[in-house]
Short mmCIF file of all heavy atoms in Angstrom, two decimals:
data_model
loop_
_atom_site.label_atom_id
_atom_site.label_comp_id
_atom_site.label_asym_id
_atom_site.label_seq_id
_atom_site.Cartn_x
_atom_site.Cartn_y
_atom_site.Cartn_z
N THR A 102 -13.83 11.99 -26.43
CA THR A 102 -12.42 11.61 -26.47
C THR A 102 -12.30 10.13 -26.12
O THR A 102 -12.84 9.69 -25.11
CB THR A 102 -11.60 12.45 -25.47
OG1 THR A 102 -11.77 13.84 -25.75
CG2 THR A 102 -10.12 12.09 -25.57
N VAL A 103 -11.62 9.38 -26.97
CA VAL A 103 -11.40 7.95 -26.74
C VAL A 103 -9.90 7.73 -26.63
O VAL A 103 -9.17 7.88 -27.62
CB VAL A 103 -12.00 7.10 -27.87
CG1 VAL A 103 -11.80 5.62 -27.56
CG2 VAL A 103 -13.48 7.40 -28.06
N LEU A 104 -9.43 7.38 -25.44
CA LEU A 104 -8.01 7.16 -25.23
C LEU A 104 -7.54 5.82 -25.82
O LEU A 104 -8.35 4.94 -26.12
CB LEU A 104 -7.68 7.25 -23.75
CG LEU A 104 -8.02 8.58 -23.05
CD1 LEU A 104 -7.45 8.61 -21.66
CD2 LEU A 104 -7.52 9.78 -23.87
N ARG A 105 -6.24 5.66 -25.92
CA ARG A 105 -5.65 4.49 -26.58
C ARG A 105 -6.08 3.17 -25.95
O ARG A 105 -6.28 2.15 -26.62
CB ARG A 105 -4.12 4.61 -26.57
CG ARG A 105 -3.41 3.57 -27.43
CD ARG A 105 -1.92 3.80 -27.40
NE ARG A 105 -1.58 5.17 -27.77
CZ ARG A 105 -1.47 5.59 -29.03
NH1 ARG A 105 -1.69 4.74 -30.02
NH2 ARG A 105 -1.15 6.84 -29.29
N ASP A 106 -6.23 3.16 -24.61
CA ASP A 106 -6.59 1.91 -23.92
C ASP A 106 -8.09 1.62 -23.94
O ASP A 106 -8.52 0.57 -23.46
CB ASP A 106 -6.14 1.98 -22.46
CG ASP A 106 -4.62 1.95 -22.33
OD1 ASP A 106 -3.97 1.43 -23.25
OD2 ASP A 106 -4.11 2.45 -21.31
N ALA A 107 -8.87 2.51 -24.49
CA ALA A 107 -10.33 2.35 -24.46
C ALA A 107 -10.83 1.59 -25.69
O ALA A 107 -11.68 2.07 -26.45
CB ALA A 107 -11.00 3.72 -24.36
N GLN A 108 -10.31 0.37 -25.87
CA GLN A 108 -10.73 -0.46 -27.00
C GLN A 108 -12.16 -0.96 -26.76
O GLN A 108 -12.61 -1.10 -25.62
CB GLN A 108 -9.78 -1.64 -27.16
CG GLN A 108 -8.32 -1.24 -27.38
CD GLN A 108 -8.10 -0.49 -28.68
OE1 GLN A 108 -8.87 -0.61 -29.62
NE2 GLN A 108 -7.02 0.28 -28.73
N GLY A 109 -12.88 -1.20 -27.84
CA GLY A 109 -14.25 -1.67 -27.73
C GLY A 109 -15.24 -0.60 -27.35
O GLY A 109 -16.38 -0.89 -26.98
N THR A 110 -14.85 0.66 -27.48
CA THR A 110 -15.72 1.79 -27.15
C THR A 110 -16.86 1.89 -28.16
O THR A 110 -16.68 1.71 -29.35
CB THR A 110 -14.92 3.10 -27.16
OG1 THR A 110 -14.09 3.16 -26.00
CG2 THR A 110 -15.83 4.31 -27.17
N LYS A 111 -18.04 2.21 -27.63
CA LYS A 111 -19.17 2.59 -28.47
C LYS A 111 -19.68 3.93 -27.96
O LYS A 111 -20.09 4.04 -26.80
CB LYS A 111 -20.28 1.53 -28.42
CG LYS A 111 -19.89 0.21 -29.08
CD LYS A 111 -21.06 -0.76 -29.12
CE LYS A 111 -20.66 -2.06 -29.82
NZ LYS A 111 -21.80 -3.03 -29.85
N ALA A 112 -19.66 4.94 -28.82
CA ALA A 112 -20.03 6.29 -28.39
C ALA A 112 -20.85 6.97 -29.48
O ALA A 112 -20.53 6.89 -30.67
CB ALA A 112 -18.78 7.11 -28.09
N TYR A 113 -21.91 7.67 -29.04
CA TYR A 113 -22.81 8.34 -29.99
C TYR A 113 -23.21 9.68 -29.39
O TYR A 113 -23.48 9.79 -28.19
CB TYR A 113 -24.05 7.48 -30.22
CG TYR A 113 -25.15 8.17 -31.01
CD1 TYR A 113 -25.04 8.31 -32.39
CD2 TYR A 113 -26.27 8.67 -30.37
CE1 TYR A 113 -26.04 8.95 -33.12
CE2 TYR A 113 -27.28 9.30 -31.09
CZ TYR A 113 -27.16 9.43 -32.47
OH TYR A 113 -28.14 10.06 -33.18
N GLN A 114 -23.24 10.70 -30.24
CA GLN A 114 -23.65 12.04 -29.79
C GLN A 114 -24.51 12.70 -30.87
O GLN A 114 -24.16 12.67 -32.06
CB GLN A 114 -22.42 12.90 -29.52
CG GLN A 114 -22.74 14.29 -29.00
CD GLN A 114 -21.48 15.14 -28.89
OE1 GLN A 114 -20.97 15.64 -29.88
NE2 GLN A 114 -20.95 15.24 -27.68
N GLU A 115 -25.62 13.30 -30.43
CA GLU A 115 -26.54 13.94 -31.37
C GLU A 115 -26.97 15.29 -30.80
O GLU A 115 -27.32 15.40 -29.62
CB GLU A 115 -27.77 13.06 -31.58
CG GLU A 115 -28.86 13.70 -32.43
CD GLU A 115 -30.14 12.89 -32.41
OE1 GLU A 115 -30.89 12.97 -31.41
OE2 GLU A 115 -30.40 12.17 -33.39
N SER A 116 -26.95 16.31 -31.64
CA SER A 116 -27.46 17.64 -31.28
C SER A 116 -28.43 18.09 -32.36
O SER A 116 -28.02 18.31 -33.51
CB SER A 116 -26.32 18.64 -31.14
OG SER A 116 -26.81 19.96 -30.93
N ARG A 117 -29.71 18.22 -31.99
CA ARG A 117 -30.73 18.65 -32.95
C ARG A 117 -31.38 19.93 -32.44
O ARG A 117 -31.71 20.04 -31.24
CB ARG A 117 -31.79 17.56 -33.14
CG ARG A 117 -31.24 16.29 -33.77
CD ARG A 117 -32.32 15.25 -33.95
NE ARG A 117 -33.39 15.73 -34.82
CZ ARG A 117 -34.56 15.10 -35.01
NH1 ARG A 117 -34.79 13.95 -34.38
NH2 ARG A 117 -35.46 15.59 -35.82
N ASN A 118 -31.57 20.89 -33.34
CA ASN A 118 -32.01 22.22 -32.92
C ASN A 118 -33.04 22.78 -33.89
O ASN A 118 -32.92 22.61 -35.10
CB ASN A 118 -30.80 23.17 -32.88
CG ASN A 118 -29.65 22.59 -32.07
OD1 ASN A 118 -29.64 22.68 -30.87
ND2 ASN A 118 -28.69 21.97 -32.75
N ILE A 119 -34.04 23.45 -33.32
CA ILE A 119 -35.08 24.10 -34.11
C ILE A 119 -35.11 25.59 -33.77
O ILE A 119 -35.12 25.96 -32.59
CB ILE A 119 -36.46 23.47 -33.86
CG1 ILE A 119 -36.57 22.12 -34.57
CG2 ILE A 119 -37.58 24.39 -34.33
CD1 ILE A 119 -37.90 21.43 -34.39
N LEU A 120 -35.14 26.43 -34.80
CA LEU A 120 -35.26 27.87 -34.63
C LEU A 120 -36.69 28.30 -34.97
O LEU A 120 -37.22 27.92 -36.01
CB LEU A 120 -34.28 28.61 -35.54
CG LEU A 120 -32.80 28.27 -35.37
CD1 LEU A 120 -31.96 29.08 -36.35
CD2 LEU A 120 -32.35 28.52 -33.94
N LEU A 121 -37.28 29.07 -34.06
CA LEU A 121 -38.67 29.52 -34.26
C LEU A 121 -38.75 30.92 -34.84
O LEU A 121 -39.84 31.38 -35.19
CB LEU A 121 -39.43 29.47 -32.93
CG LEU A 121 -39.57 28.11 -32.26
CD1 LEU A 121 -40.35 28.24 -30.96
CD2 LEU A 121 -40.26 27.11 -33.19
N SER A 122 -37.63 31.62 -34.91
CA SER A 122 -37.63 32.99 -35.44
C SER A 122 -36.34 33.24 -36.20
O SER A 122 -35.34 32.52 -36.03
CB SER A 122 -37.76 34.01 -34.31
OG SER A 122 -36.58 34.03 -33.51
N ASP A 123 -36.35 34.29 -37.03
CA ASP A 123 -35.16 34.64 -37.80
C ASP A 123 -34.08 35.26 -36.93
O ASP A 123 -32.92 35.36 -37.35
CB ASP A 123 -35.53 35.63 -38.93
CG ASP A 123 -36.42 35.00 -39.97
OD1 ASP A 123 -36.39 33.76 -40.11
OD2 ASP A 123 -37.17 35.75 -40.65
N THR A 124 -34.45 35.69 -35.73
CA THR A 124 -33.49 36.37 -34.86
C THR A 124 -32.89 35.45 -33.80
O THR A 124 -32.01 35.86 -33.05
CB THR A 124 -34.15 37.58 -34.18
OG1 THR A 124 -35.38 37.17 -33.57
CG2 THR A 124 -34.46 38.68 -35.20
N ALA A 125 -33.39 34.22 -33.70
CA ALA A 125 -32.81 33.24 -32.78
C ALA A 125 -31.64 32.54 -33.48
O ALA A 125 -31.57 32.48 -34.71
CB ALA A 125 -33.85 32.22 -32.36
N SER A 126 -30.72 32.00 -32.68
CA SER A 126 -29.59 31.28 -33.28
C SER A 126 -29.25 30.05 -32.45
O SER A 126 -29.43 30.04 -31.22
CB SER A 126 -28.35 32.18 -33.40
OG SER A 126 -27.80 32.46 -32.13
N ALA A 127 -28.77 29.03 -33.12
CA ALA A 127 -28.31 27.80 -32.47
C ALA A 127 -27.04 27.36 -33.17
O ALA A 127 -26.99 27.27 -34.40
CB ALA A 127 -29.37 26.71 -32.53
N GLU A 128 -26.02 27.11 -32.37
CA GLU A 128 -24.72 26.69 -32.89
C GLU A 128 -24.39 25.33 -32.30
O GLU A 128 -24.48 25.13 -31.09
CB GLU A 128 -23.65 27.70 -32.49
CG GLU A 128 -22.27 27.39 -33.01
CD GLU A 128 -21.24 28.43 -32.58
OE1 GLU A 128 -21.52 29.19 -31.63
OE2 GLU A 128 -20.17 28.47 -33.18
N ALA A 129 -24.03 24.38 -33.14
CA ALA A 129 -23.70 23.03 -32.67
C ALA A 129 -22.36 22.62 -33.24
O ALA A 129 -22.15 22.63 -34.45
CB ALA A 129 -24.78 22.05 -33.08
N LYS A 130 -21.42 22.27 -32.34
CA LYS A 130 -20.08 21.86 -32.76
C LYS A 130 -19.70 20.54 -32.09
O LYS A 130 -19.11 20.55 -31.00
CB LYS A 130 -19.06 22.94 -32.41
CG LYS A 130 -19.21 24.23 -33.20
CD LYS A 130 -18.10 25.20 -32.85
CE LYS A 130 -18.19 26.47 -33.68
NZ LYS A 130 -17.11 27.43 -33.33
N PRO A 131 -20.06 19.43 -32.69
CA PRO A 131 -19.62 18.13 -32.15
C PRO A 131 -18.20 17.81 -32.61
O PRO A 131 -17.77 18.25 -33.69
CB PRO A 131 -20.63 17.15 -32.75
CG PRO A 131 -21.04 17.79 -34.04
CD PRO A 131 -20.95 19.28 -33.85
#
Side-chain angles (χ1 to χ4, degrees):
T102 303
V103 182
L104 301 189
R105 190 177 306 277
D106 291 336
Q108 302 296 337
T110 287
K111 291 185 179 180
Y113 171 77
Q114 182 186 78
E115 174 190 78
S116 174
R117 296 180 60 189
N118 309 277
I119 284 181
L120 302 179
L121 298 180
S122 69
D123 294 335
T124 51
S126 70
E128 182 180 18
K130 292 184 177 180

